[in-house]
């Protein structure tokens, strides 16, 4: 299990625990369950890289304690 910290740029930070073999879409569903927003509206990015839904977190090299926006 890894813990990913997501920042929504409005002051909220959400901590989500997931597996490294989960897809980005699975991570979006977990974030949506905690924040109450729709998963279709969530866009995960790091700097200028926008993460695609069908690729696993392992492939993007997202590790424990990593921050996403």
């Amino acid at each position: 299990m890894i813990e990913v910290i997501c920042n929504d740029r409005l002051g909220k930070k959400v901590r989500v625990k997931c597996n490294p073999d989960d897809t980005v879409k699975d991570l979006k569903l977990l974030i949506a369950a905690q924040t109450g927003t729709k998963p279709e509206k969530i866009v995960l990015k790091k700097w200028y890289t926008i993460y695609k839904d069908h690729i696993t977190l392992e492939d993007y090299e997202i590790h424990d304690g990593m921050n996403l926006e």
Side-chain angles (χ1 to χ4, degrees):
M1 294 287 285
I2 61 172
E3 184 177 61
V4 180
I5 302 165
C6 299
N7 182 13
D8 70 350
R9 296 185 178 186
L10 295 174
K12 273 193 209 173
K13 286 191 177 180
V14 179
R15 293 177 179 260
V16 180
K17 289 193 180 230
C18 55
N19 292 323
D21 58 345
D22 287 346
T23 61
V24 175
K25 183 162 180 101
D26 296 335
L27 180 62
K28 284 183 182 182
L29 291 172
L30 292 171
I31 294 169
Q34 286 190 4
T35 59
T37 59
K38 294 181 180 179
E40 299 87 33
K41 291 190 162 208
I42 296 174
V43 177
L44 292 177
K45 56 173 102 170
K46 179 79 172 182
W47 291 84
Y48 294 107
T49 305
I50 298 175
Y51 296 125
K52 304 292 180 188
D53 285 347
H54 63 281
I55 300 176
T56 63
L57 301 177
E58 218 170 33
D59 292 339
Y60 274 128
E61 297 179 0
I62 296 176
H63 303 295
D64 190 30
M66 191 165 178
N67 290 323
L68 299 176
E69 296 178 353

